[in-house]
Amino acid sequence: EAGVVQSPRYKIIEKKQPVAFWCNPISGHNTLYWYRQNLGQGPELLIRYENEEAVDDSQLPKDRFSAERLKGVDSTLKIQPAELGDSAVYLCASSLEEGRNTIYFGEGSWLTVV
Amino acid sequence: GNSVTQMEGPVTLSEEAFLTINCTYTATGYPSLFWYVQYPGEGLQLLLKATKADDKGSNKGFEATYRKETTSFHLEKGSVQVSDSAVYFCALHGSSNTGKLIFGQGTTLQVKP
């Protein structure tokens, strides 16, 4: 069975430019997460979806970040405009449903803002 | 709030040495506990988990026991290999914050031949 798929794997952009990341969760997983991992730190949750509904976006910087999960499957995370401090790994993850199920991570999208 | 604290790294060991990476947590209720591993240039992979007190999670020679009395979930391996070199993250999934994994800061393990 395919795992969580993310693209692009690597992206280098200039500050003030937009960038978008795409995620395809494990088939059948209703819950989708976006995490951000800064260098040398553990991941931190940005947003969590239950199907197509964003149920926890309290840590998402809404002035420049947006996310969507149309039809409750794939998801896109966008940053516009990007800042130098946005350089990080953006991890998508999924689980069967809300609660204590195991969360599976994709390989991440590595963003460098120059 | 819930939190996870890991021992600081890097941890440098010779091949076949015994490994312990300490992890303690603060949480209300009865969280589930996890160890994730991140190899260079890759995403997080679940290594093992334990969902209730006294449970022992194990995988690939690694093991960790959920100790509620000491709020700990230390990772151990009897004989490490060079291929175990990676960053290890302890995490909890609290009963009061469903859906949200909280991670420690990670511990880098370097195993030398």
Side-chain angles (χ1 to χ4, degrees), chain B residues 59-111:
Chain B
N59 186 27
K60 299 180 181 179
F62 291 89
E63 57 183 34
T65 302
Y66 187 158
R67 301 287 189 197
K68 189 164 179 63
E69 64 276 14
T70 55
T71 61
S72 65
F73 193 54
H74 304 322
L75 182 68
E76 297 181 335
K77 187 175 185 181
S79 176
V80 294
Q81 305 300 312
V82 172
S83 58
D84 293 328
S85 298
V87 182
Y88 292 82
F89 291 92
C90 185
L92 74 82
H93 194 165
S95 56
S96 61
N97 62 336
T98 56
K100 183 176 180 177
L101 266 181
I102 295 174
F103 287 87
Q105 74 272 31
T107 302
T108 299
L109 171 65
Q110 299 173 340
V111 181

mmCIF file of all heavy atoms in Angstrom, chain B residues 59-111:
data_model
loop_
_atom_site.group_PDB
_atom_site.id
_atom_site.type_symbol
_atom_site.label_atom_id
_atom_site.label_comp_id
_atom_site.label_asym_id
_atom_site.label_seq_id
_atom_site.Cartn_x
_atom_site.Cartn_y
_atom_site.Cartn_z
ATOM 1 N N ASN B 59 10.437 -2.889 18.019
ATOM 2 C CA ASN B 59 10.561 -2.973 16.559
ATOM 3 C C ASN B 59 12.035 -2.870 16.204
ATOM 4 O O ASN B 59 12.750 -2.022 16.751
ATOM 5 C CB ASN B 59 9.776 -1.855 15.873
ATOM 6 C CG ASN B 59 9.761 -1.981 14.373
ATOM 7 O OD1 ASN B 59 9.869 -3.066 13.830
ATOM 8 N ND2 ASN B 59 9.609 -0.859 13.691
ATOM 9 N N LYS B 60 12.494 -3.710 15.292
ATOM 10 C CA LYS B 60 13.866 -3.653 14.770
ATOM 11 C C LYS B 60 14.913 -3.689 15.885
ATOM 12 O O LYS B 60 15.978 -3.070 15.755
ATOM 13 C CB LYS B 60 14.061 -2.392 13.932
ATOM 14 C CG LYS B 60 13.154 -2.296 12.717
ATOM 15 C CD LYS B 60 13.418 -1.021 11.941
ATOM 16 C CE LYS B 60 12.496 -0.921 10.745
ATOM 17 N NZ LYS B 60 12.714 0.329 9.968
ATOM 18 N N GLY B 61 14.640 -4.354 16.972
ATOM 19 C CA GLY B 61 15.596 -4.454 18.072
ATOM 20 C C GLY B 61 15.482 -3.324 19.081
ATOM 21 O O GLY B 61 16.111 -3.374 20.137
ATOM 22 N N PHE B 62 14.686 -2.308 18.754
ATOM 23 C CA PHE B 62 14.440 -1.216 19.688
ATOM 24 C C PHE B 62 13.243 -1.566 20.570
ATOM 25 O O PHE B 62 12.328 -2.252 20.135
ATOM 26 C CB PHE B 62 14.119 0.085 18.937
ATOM 27 C CG PHE B 62 15.270 0.663 18.185
ATOM 28 C CD1 PHE B 62 15.516 0.298 16.873
ATOM 29 C CD2 PHE B 62 16.085 1.614 18.774
ATOM 30 C CE1 PHE B 62 16.581 0.840 16.170
ATOM 31 C CE2 PHE B 62 17.143 2.174 18.080
ATOM 32 C CZ PHE B 62 17.396 1.787 16.769
ATOM 33 N N GLU B 63 13.272 -1.047 21.790
ATOM 34 C CA GLU B 63 12.107 -1.210 22.644
ATOM 35 C C GLU B 63 11.991 -0.044 23.614
ATOM 36 O O GLU B 63 12.979 0.637 23.908
ATOM 37 C CB GLU B 63 12.137 -2.530 23.410
ATOM 38 C CG GLU B 63 13.340 -2.755 24.275
ATOM 39 C CD GLU B 63 13.290 -4.126 24.931
ATOM 40 O OE1 GLU B 63 12.775 -5.092 24.325
ATOM 41 O OE2 GLU B 63 13.759 -4.227 26.083
ATOM 42 N N ALA B 64 10.757 0.178 24.070
ATOM 43 C CA ALA B 64 10.496 1.231 25.044
ATOM 44 C C ALA B 64 9.279 0.818 25.857
ATOM 45 O O ALA B 64 8.324 0.267 25.308
ATOM 46 C CB ALA B 64 10.245 2.563 24.354
ATOM 47 N N THR B 65 9.332 1.084 27.158
ATOM 48 C CA THR B 65 8.244 0.709 28.055
ATOM 49 C C THR B 65 7.574 1.957 28.604
ATOM 50 O O THR B 65 8.243 2.879 29.088
ATOM 51 C CB THR B 65 8.759 -0.160 29.212
ATOM 52 O OG1 THR B 65 9.381 -1.332 28.668
ATOM 53 C CG2 THR B 65 7.617 -0.579 30.125
ATOM 54 N N TYR B 66 6.259 1.974 28.536
ATOM 55 C CA TYR B 66 5.444 3.086 29.013
ATOM 56 C C TYR B 66 5.388 3.010 30.537
ATOM 57 O O TYR B 66 4.735 2.143 31.114
ATOM 58 C CB TYR B 66 4.041 2.911 28.412
ATOM 59 C CG TYR B 66 3.023 4.004 28.607
ATOM 60 C CD1 TYR B 66 1.947 4.099 27.739
ATOM 61 C CD2 TYR B 66 3.082 4.918 29.636
ATOM 62 C CE1 TYR B 66 0.972 5.070 27.874
ATOM 63 C CE2 TYR B 66 2.126 5.883 29.799
ATOM 64 C CZ TYR B 66 1.064 5.955 28.908
ATOM 65 O OH TYR B 66 0.089 6.920 29.059
ATOM 66 N N ARG B 67 6.074 3.943 31.202
ATOM 67 C CA ARG B 67 6.123 3.969 32.661
ATOM 68 C C ARG B 67 5.351 5.167 33.173
ATOM 69 O O ARG B 67 5.818 6.300 33.136
ATOM 70 C CB ARG B 67 7.582 4.085 33.138
ATOM 71 C CG ARG B 67 8.493 2.972 32.678
ATOM 72 C CD ARG B 67 8.235 1.692 33.378
ATOM 73 N NE ARG B 67 9.258 0.684 33.080
ATOM 74 C CZ ARG B 67 9.113 -0.605 33.300
ATOM 75 N NH1 ARG B 67 7.953 -1.072 33.791
ATOM 76 N NH2 ARG B 67 10.090 -1.438 33.016
ATOM 77 N N LYS B 68 4.141 4.908 33.652
ATOM 78 C CA LYS B 68 3.309 6.020 34.101
ATOM 79 C C LYS B 68 3.832 6.596 35.419
ATOM 80 O O LYS B 68 3.751 7.807 35.648
ATOM 81 C CB LYS B 68 1.860 5.559 34.256
ATOM 82 C CG LYS B 68 0.905 6.718 34.517
ATOM 83 C CD LYS B 68 -0.523 6.323 34.276
ATOM 84 C CE LYS B 68 -1.470 7.486 34.566
ATOM 85 N NZ LYS B 68 -1.197 8.616 33.646
ATOM 86 N N GLU B 69 4.402 5.742 36.249
ATOM 87 C CA GLU B 69 4.843 6.230 37.563
ATOM 88 C C GLU B 69 6.001 7.217 37.454
ATOM 89 O O GLU B 69 6.147 8.098 38.297
ATOM 90 C CB GLU B 69 5.213 5.055 38.470
ATOM 91 C CG GLU B 69 6.384 4.216 38.003
ATOM 92 C CD GLU B 69 6.000 3.149 37.007
ATOM 93 O OE1 GLU B 69 4.878 3.188 36.461
ATOM 94 O OE2 GLU B 69 6.841 2.259 36.761
ATOM 95 N N THR B 70 6.801 7.055 36.401
ATOM 96 C CA THR B 70 7.922 7.976 36.203
ATOM 97 C C THR B 70 7.695 8.867 34.991
ATOM 98 O O THR B 70 8.584 9.648 34.619
ATOM 99 C CB THR B 70 9.239 7.203 36.004
ATOM 100 O OG1 THR B 70 9.086 6.269 34.932
ATOM 101 C CG2 THR B 70 9.646 6.481 37.282
ATOM 102 N N THR B 71 6.534 8.790 34.383
ATOM 103 C CA THR B 71 6.179 9.524 33.142
ATOM 104 C C THR B 71 7.320 9.478 32.143
ATOM 105 O O THR B 71 7.804 10.511 31.646
ATOM 106 C CB THR B 71 5.759 10.985 33.434
ATOM 107 O OG1 THR B 71 6.852 11.700 34.046
ATOM 108 C CG2 THR B 71 4.552 11.033 34.330
ATOM 109 N N SER B 72 7.745 8.251 31.830
ATOM 110 C CA SER B 72 8.878 8.088 30.938
ATOM 111 C C SER B 72 8.584 7.057 29.857
ATOM 112 O O SER B 72 7.690 6.207 30.009
ATOM 113 C CB SER B 72 10.124 7.668 31.723
ATOM 114 O OG SER B 72 9.939 6.386 32.306
ATOM 115 N N PHE B 73 9.364 7.147 28.779
ATOM 116 C CA PHE B 73 9.231 6.208 27.653
ATOM 117 C C PHE B 73 10.607 6.136 26.988
ATOM 118 O O PHE B 73 10.797 6.515 25.842
ATOM 119 C CB PHE B 73 8.160 6.717 26.691
ATOM 120 C CG PHE B 73 7.706 5.720 25.656
ATOM 121 C CD1 PHE B 73 7.251 4.463 26.019
ATOM 122 C CD2 PHE B 73 7.704 6.058 24.312
ATOM 123 C CE1 PHE B 73 6.815 3.544 25.071
ATOM 124 C CE2 PHE B 73 7.261 5.154 23.346
ATOM 125 C CZ PHE B 73 6.816 3.903 23.731
ATOM 126 N N HIS B 74 11.572 5.646 27.708
ATOM 127 C CA HIS B 74 12.964 5.626 27.250
ATOM 128 C C HIS B 74 13.153 4.594 26.141
ATOM 129 O O HIS B 74 12.691 3.452 26.255
ATOM 130 C CB HIS B 74 13.908 5.306 28.405
ATOM 131 C CG HIS B 74 13.780 6.229 29.578
ATOM 132 N ND1 HIS B 74 13.551 7.582 29.439
ATOM 133 C CD2 HIS B 74 13.845 5.978 30.913
ATOM 134 C CE1 HIS B 74 13.486 8.140 30.626
ATOM 135 N NE2 HIS B 74 13.653 7.195 31.544
ATOM 136 N N LEU B 75 13.909 4.984 25.135
ATOM 137 C CA LEU B 75 14.189 4.094 24.002
ATOM 138 C C LEU B 75 15.492 3.345 24.252
ATOM 139 O O LEU B 75 16.491 3.957 24.643
ATOM 140 C CB LEU B 75 14.302 4.903 22.705
ATOM 141 C CG LEU B 75 14.554 4.110 21.432
ATOM 142 C CD1 LEU B 75 13.325 3.269 21.078
ATOM 143 C CD2 LEU B 75 14.896 5.052 20.272
ATOM 144 N N GLU B 76 15.494 2.027 24.002
ATOM 145 C CA GLU B 76 16.690 1.218 24.233
ATOM 146 C C GLU B 76 16.923 0.271 23.070
ATOM 147 O O GLU B 76 15.979 -0.161 22.405
ATOM 148 C CB GLU B 76 16.547 0.403 25.533
ATOM 149 C CG GLU B 76 16.437 1.245 26.785
ATOM 150 C CD GLU B 76 16.326 0.408 28.036
ATOM 151 O OE1 GLU B 76 15.876 -0.753 27.933
ATOM 152 O OE2 GLU B 76 16.699 0.901 29.114
ATOM 153 N N LYS B 77 18.203 -0.032 22.860
ATOM 154 C CA LYS B 77 18.577 -1.080 21.925
ATOM 155 C C LYS B 77 19.861 -1.712 22.438
ATOM 156 O O LYS B 77 20.793 -1.008 22.827
ATOM 157 C CB LYS B 77 18.782 -0.543 20.513
ATOM 158 C CG LYS B 77 19.009 -1.656 19.490
ATOM 159 C CD LYS B 77 19.088 -1.141 18.063
ATOM 160 C CE LYS B 77 19.200 -2.332 17.086
ATOM 161 N NZ LYS B 77 19.305 -1.902 15.671
ATOM 162 N N GLY B 78 19.892 -3.014 22.396
ATOM 163 C CA GLY B 78 21.006 -3.735 22.996
ATOM 164 C C GLY B 78 22.317 -3.624 22.235
ATOM 165 O O GLY B 78 23.393 -3.639 22.824
ATOM 166 N N SER B 79 22.223 -3.504 20.903
ATOM 167 C CA SER B 79 23.438 -3.496 20.089
ATOM 168 C C SER B 79 23.164 -2.661 18.840
ATOM 169 O O SER B 79 22.499 -3.123 17.916
ATOM 170 C CB SER B 79 23.818 -4.926 19.701
ATOM 171 O OG SER B 79 24.929 -4.936 18.833
ATOM 172 N N VAL B 80 23.687 -1.437 18.822
ATOM 173 C CA VAL B 80 23.375 -0.545 17.698
ATOM 174 C C VAL B 80 24.277 -0.832 16.504
ATOM 175 O O VAL B 80 25.386 -1.351 16.640
ATOM 176 C CB VAL B 80 23.500 0.936 18.107
ATOM 177 C CG1 VAL B 80 22.441 1.285 19.133
ATOM 178 C CG2 VAL B 80 24.901 1.259 18.623
ATOM 179 N N GLN B 81 23.760 -0.460 15.338
ATOM 180 C CA GLN B 81 24.496 -0.612 14.084
ATOM 181 C C GLN B 81 24.688 0.764 13.452
ATOM 182 O O GLN B 81 23.954 1.710 13.771
ATOM 183 C CB GLN B 81 23.723 -1.524 13.128
ATOM 184 C CG GLN B 81 23.384 -2.880 13.712
ATOM 185 C CD GLN B 81 24.620 -3.657 14.115
ATOM 186 O OE1 GLN B 81 25.569 -3.745 13.337
ATOM 187 N NE2 GLN B 81 24.626 -4.209 15.321
ATOM 188 N N VAL B 82 25.639 0.835 12.528
ATOM 189 C CA VAL B 82 25.882 2.106 11.834
ATOM 190 C C VAL B 82 24.596 2.594 11.161
ATOM 191 O O VAL B 82 24.300 3.794 11.144
ATOM 192 C CB VAL B 82 27.012 1.957 10.809
ATOM 193 C CG1 VAL B 82 27.137 3.209 9.961
ATOM 194 C CG2 VAL B 82 28.335 1.655 11.508
ATOM 195 N N SER B 83 23.804 1.666 10.655
ATOM 196 C CA SER B 83 22.558 2.016 9.957
ATOM 197 C C SER B 83 21.495 2.594 10.885
ATOM 198 O O SER B 83 20.469 3.092 10.402
ATOM 199 C CB SER B 83 21.992 0.780 9.254
ATOM 200 O OG SER B 83 21.771 -0.259 10.191
ATOM 201 N N ASP B 84 21.712 2.548 12.181
ATOM 202 C CA ASP B 84 20.772 3.148 13.138
ATOM 203 C C ASP B 84 21.011 4.648 13.299
ATOM 204 O O ASP B 84 20.228 5.327 13.992
ATOM 205 C CB ASP B 84 20.889 2.483 14.508
ATOM 206 C CG ASP B 84 20.428 1.037 14.506
ATOM 207 O OD1 ASP B 84 19.502 0.707 13.731
ATOM 208 O OD2 ASP B 84 21.018 0.225 15.250
ATOM 209 N N SER B 85 22.049 5.165 12.692
ATOM 210 C CA SER B 85 22.342 6.599 12.772
ATOM 211 C C SER B 85 21.188 7.384 12.187
ATOM 212 O O SER B 85 20.827 7.207 11.013
ATOM 213 C CB SER B 85 23.635 6.922 12.030
ATOM 214 O OG SER B 85 24.727 6.248 12.614
ATOM 215 N N ALA B 86 20.599 8.247 12.994
ATOM 216 C CA ALA B 86 19.393 8.968 12.597
ATOM 217 C C ALA B 86 19.023 9.922 13.724
ATOM 218 O O ALA B 86 19.702 9.986 14.756
ATOM 219 C CB ALA B 86 18.240 7.994 12.340
ATOM 220 N N VAL B 87 17.923 10.645 13.518
ATOM 221 C CA VAL B 87 17.356 11.464 14.588
ATOM 222 C C VAL B 87 16.122 10.752 15.119
ATOM 223 O O VAL B 87 15.259 10.329 14.340
ATOM 224 C CB VAL B 87 16.985 12.879 14.101
ATOM 225 C CG1 VAL B 87 16.449 13.713 15.261
ATOM 226 C CG2 VAL B 87 18.182 13.558 13.463
ATOM 227 N N TYR B 88 16.023 10.643 16.423
ATOM 228 C CA TYR B 88 14.924 9.927 17.068
ATOM 229 C C TYR B 88 14.046 10.928 17.823
ATOM 230 O O TYR B 88 14.534 11.756 18.591
ATOM 231 C CB TYR B 88 15.474 8.855 18.012
ATOM 232 C CG TYR B 88 16.156 7.745 17.262
ATOM 233 C CD1 TYR B 88 17.468 7.886 16.829
ATOM 234 C CD2 TYR B 88 15.476 6.569 16.948
ATOM 235 C CE1 TYR B 88 18.091 6.878 16.100
ATOM 236 C CE2 TYR B 88 16.090 5.558 16.229
ATOM 237 C CZ TYR B 88 17.401 5.724 15.812
ATOM 238 O OH TYR B 88 18.018 4.727 15.082
ATOM 239 N N PHE B 89 12.742 10.826 17.574
ATOM 240 C CA PHE B 89 11.777 11.732 18.192
ATOM 241 C C PHE B 89 10.812 10.948 19.068
ATOM 242 O O PHE B 89 10.186 9.982 18.607
ATOM 243 C CB PHE B 89 10.963 12.474 17.136
ATOM 244 C CG PHE B 89 11.734 13.463 16.332
ATOM 245 C CD1 PHE B 89 12.316 13.094 15.126
ATOM 246 C CD2 PHE B 89 11.880 14.773 16.766
ATOM 247 C CE1 PHE B 89 13.025 14.015 14.374
ATOM 248 C CE2 PHE B 89 12.591 15.699 16.025
ATOM 249 C CZ PHE B 89 13.167 15.320 14.830
ATOM 250 N N CYS B 90 10.690 11.401 20.293
ATOM 251 C CA CYS B 90 9.658 10.889 21.183
ATOM 252 C C CYS B 90 8.418 11.772 21.018
ATOM 253 O O CYS B 90 8.542 13.000 20.832
ATOM 254 C CB CYS B 90 10.166 10.944 22.623
ATOM 255 S SG CYS B 90 9.079 10.225 23.855
ATOM 256 N N ALA B 91 7.244 11.176 21.057
ATOM 257 C CA ALA B 91 6.023 11.954 20.850
ATOM 258 C C ALA B 91 4.886 11.386 21.672
ATOM 259 O O ALA B 91 4.881 10.201 22.008
ATOM 260 C CB ALA B 91 5.639 11.962 19.366
ATOM 261 N N LEU B 92 3.940 12.247 21.984
ATOM 262 C CA LEU B 92 2.746 11.774 22.676
ATOM 263 C C LEU B 92 1.497 12.249 21.963
ATOM 264 O O LEU B 92 1.485 13.288 21.309
ATOM 265 C CB LEU B 92 2.739 12.207 24.142
ATOM 266 C CG LEU B 92 2.448 13.658 24.539
ATOM 267 C CD1 LEU B 92 0.952 13.943 24.575
ATOM 268 C CD2 LEU B 92 3.020 13.933 25.931
ATOM 269 N N HIS B 93 0.474 11.443 22.108
ATOM 270 C CA HIS B 93 -0.834 11.725 21.544
ATOM 271 C C HIS B 93 -1.790 11.696 22.726
ATOM 272 O O HIS B 93 -2.126 10.635 23.232
ATOM 273 C CB HIS B 93 -1.181 10.642 20.525
ATOM 274 C CG HIS B 93 -2.333 10.983 19.650
ATOM 275 N ND1 HIS B 93 -2.598 10.298 18.493
ATOM 276 C CD2 HIS B 93 -3.294 11.926 19.733
ATOM 277 C CE1 HIS B 93 -3.664 10.800 17.915
ATOM 278 N NE2 HIS B 93 -4.088 11.786 18.646
ATOM 279 N N GLY B 94 -2.149 12.906 23.185
ATOM 280 C CA GLY B 94 -2.873 12.998 24.432
ATOM 281 C C GLY B 94 -4.333 12.647 24.320
ATOM 282 O O GLY B 94 -4.952 12.823 23.271
ATOM 283 N N SER B 95 -4.871 12.190 25.402
ATOM 284 C CA SER B 95 -6.292 11.857 25.421
ATOM 285 C C SER B 95 -7.141 13.110 25.426
ATOM 286 O O SER B 95 -8.310 13.075 25.055
ATOM 287 C CB SER B 95 -6.620 11.014 26.652
ATOM 288 O OG SER B 95 -6.226 11.678 27.836
ATOM 289 N N SER B 96 -6.546 14.245 25.784
ATOM 290 C CA SER B 96 -7.322 15.481 25.847
ATOM 291 C C SER B 96 -7.102 16.367 24.636
ATOM 292 O O SER B 96 -7.683 17.429 24.534
ATOM 293 C CB SER B 96 -6.963 16.265 27.107
ATOM 294 O OG SER B 96 -5.598 16.610 27.082
ATOM 295 N N ASN B 97 -6.239 15.996 23.733
ATOM 296 C CA ASN B 97 -6.008 16.805 22.521
ATOM 297 C C ASN B 97 -5.979 15.879 21.327
ATOM 298 O O ASN B 97 -4.995 15.739 20.636
ATOM 299 C CB ASN B 97 -4.727 17.625 22.625
ATOM 300 C CG ASN B 97 -3.489 16.768 22.762
ATOM 301 O OD1 ASN B 97 -3.555 15.632 23.214
ATOM 302 N ND2 ASN B 97 -2.351 17.281 22.333
ATOM 303 N N THR B 98 -7.113 15.244 21.098
ATOM 304 C CA THR B 98 -7.182 14.221 20.070
ATOM 305 C C THR B 98 -6.696 14.742 18.737
ATOM 306 O O THR B 98 -7.005 15.857 18.332
ATOM 307 C CB THR B 98 -8.625 13.716 19.924
ATOM 308 O OG1 THR B 98 -9.460 14.834 19.655
ATOM 309 C CG2 THR B 98 -9.079 13.018 21.185
ATOM 310 N N GLY B 99 -5.953 13.922 18.050
ATOM 311 C CA GLY B 99 -5.495 14.255 16.726
ATOM 312 C C GLY B 99 -4.189 14.997 16.672
ATOM 313 O O GLY B 99 -3.684 15.235 15.585
ATOM 314 N N LYS B 100 -3.628 15.379 17.795
ATOM 315 C CA LYS B 100 -2.425 16.208 17.744
ATOM 316 C C LYS B 100 -1.266 15.476 18.396
ATOM 317 O O LYS B 100 -1.286 15.173 19.582
ATOM 318 C CB LYS B 100 -2.685 17.521 18.476
ATOM 319 C CG LYS B 100 -1.541 18.501 18.431
ATOM 320 C CD LYS B 100 -1.956 19.800 19.094
ATOM 321 C CE LYS B 100 -0.833 20.815 19.077
ATOM 322 N NZ LYS B 100 -1.268 22.098 19.665
ATOM 323 N N LEU B 101 -0.245 15.185 17.615
ATOM 324 C CA LEU B 101 0.991 14.620 18.133
ATOM 325 C C LEU B 101 1.874 15.753 18.636
ATOM 326 O O LEU B 101 2.073 16.740 17.923
ATOM 327 C CB LEU B 101 1.749 13.861 17.050
ATOM 328 C CG LEU B 101 1.556 12.372 16.893
ATOM 329 C CD1 LEU B 101 2.436 11.861 15.767
ATOM 330 C CD2 LEU B 101 1.858 11.634 18.168
ATOM 331 N N ILE B 102 2.403 15.595 19.823
ATOM 332 C CA ILE B 102 3.355 16.559 20.357
ATOM 333 C C ILE B 102 4.706 15.890 20.429
ATOM 334 O O ILE B 102 4.846 14.821 21.028
ATOM 335 C CB ILE B 102 2.904 17.061 21.741
ATOM 336 C CG1 ILE B 102 1.591 17.840 21.601
ATOM 337 C CG2 ILE B 102 3.977 17.929 22.378
ATOM 338 C CD1 ILE B 102 0.987 18.259 22.903
ATOM 339 N N PHE B 103 5.703 16.526 19.825
ATOM 340 C CA PHE B 103 7.025 15.934 19.691
ATOM 341 C C PHE B 103 8.027 16.547 20.651
ATOM 342 O O PHE B 103 7.935 17.730 20.998
ATOM 343 C CB PHE B 103 7.559 16.147 18.266
ATOM 344 C CG PHE B 103 6.892 15.308 17.226
ATOM 345 C CD1 PHE B 103 5.737 15.736 16.609
ATOM 346 C CD2 PHE B 103 7.429 14.081 16.858
ATOM 347 C CE1 PHE B 103 5.115 14.966 15.632
ATOM 348 C CE2 PHE B 103 6.823 13.307 15.887
ATOM 349 C CZ PHE B 103 5.662 13.746 15.281
ATOM 350 N N GLY B 104 9.005 15.736 21.026
ATOM 351 C CA GLY B 104 10.190 16.265 21.663
ATOM 352 C C GLY B 104 11.087 16.908 20.608
ATOM 353 O O GLY B 104 10.770 16.912 19.418
ATOM 354 N N GLN B 105 12.219 17.415 21.046
ATOM 355 C CA GLN B 105 13.072 18.167 20.121
ATOM 356 C C GLN B 105 13.948 17.271 19.268
ATOM 357 O O GLN B 105 14.609 17.746 18.343
ATOM 358 C CB GLN B 105 13.949 19.154 20.905
ATOM 359 C CG GLN B 105 15.091 18.511 21.670
ATOM 360 C CD GLN B 105 14.690 18.082 23.065
ATOM 361 O OE1 GLN B 105 13.543 17.725 23.329
ATOM 362 N NE2 GLN B 105 15.643 18.125 23.978
ATOM 363 N N GLY B 106 13.948 15.981 19.546
ATOM 364 C CA GLY B 106 14.744 15.053 18.757
ATOM 365 C C GLY B 106 16.131 14.837 19.357
ATOM 366 O O GLY B 106 16.719 15.738 19.946
ATOM 367 N N THR B 107 16.637 13.627 19.184
ATOM 368 C CA THR B 107 17.981 13.268 19.642
ATOM 369 C C THR B 107 18.718 12.620 18.490
ATOM 370 O O THR B 107 18.246 11.626 17.924
ATOM 371 C CB THR B 107 17.929 12.285 20.828
ATOM 372 O OG1 THR B 107 17.187 12.859 21.897
ATOM 373 C CG2 THR B 107 19.340 11.943 21.299
ATOM 374 N N THR B 108 19.854 13.205 18.129
ATOM 375 C CA THR B 108 20.656 12.663 17.031
ATOM 376 C C THR B 108 21.548 11.545 17.540
ATOM 377 O O THR B 108 22.261 11.715 18.533
ATOM 378 C CB THR B 108 21.524 13.767 16.404
ATOM 379 O OG1 THR B 108 20.669 14.782 15.877
ATOM 380 C CG2 THR B 108 22.375 13.202 15.282
ATOM 381 N N LEU B 109 21.496 10.420 16.876
ATOM 382 C CA LEU B 109 22.353 9.275 17.199
ATOM 383 C C LEU B 109 23.359 9.078 16.081
ATOM 384 O O LEU B 109 22.979 8.985 14.912
ATOM 385 C CB LEU B 109 21.522 8.006 17.361
ATOM 386 C CG LEU B 109 22.305 6.695 17.476
ATOM 387 C CD1 LEU B 109 23.140 6.685 18.753
ATOM 388 C CD2 LEU B 109 21.373 5.493 17.429
ATOM 389 N N GLN B 110 24.623 9.027 16.438
ATOM 390 C CA GLN B 110 25.684 8.719 15.489
ATOM 391 C C GLN B 110 26.366 7.442 15.941
ATOM 392 O O GLN B 110 26.856 7.372 17.066
ATOM 393 C CB GLN B 110 26.700 9.864 15.418
ATOM 394 C CG GLN B 110 26.106 11.183 14.951
ATOM 395 C CD GLN B 110 27.082 12.347 15.033
ATOM 396 O OE1 GLN B 110 28.061 12.271 15.769
ATOM 397 N NE2 GLN B 110 26.812 13.401 14.310
ATOM 398 N N VAL B 111 26.378 6.448 15.070
ATOM 399 C CA VAL B 111 27.022 5.180 15.391
ATOM 400 C C VAL B 111 28.251 5.036 14.498
ATOM 401 O O VAL B 111 28.152 5.095 13.273
ATOM 402 C CB VAL B 111 26.078 3.990 15.179
ATOM 403 C CG1 VAL B 111 26.781 2.683 15.550
ATOM 404 C CG2 VAL B 111 24.811 4.168 16.004
#
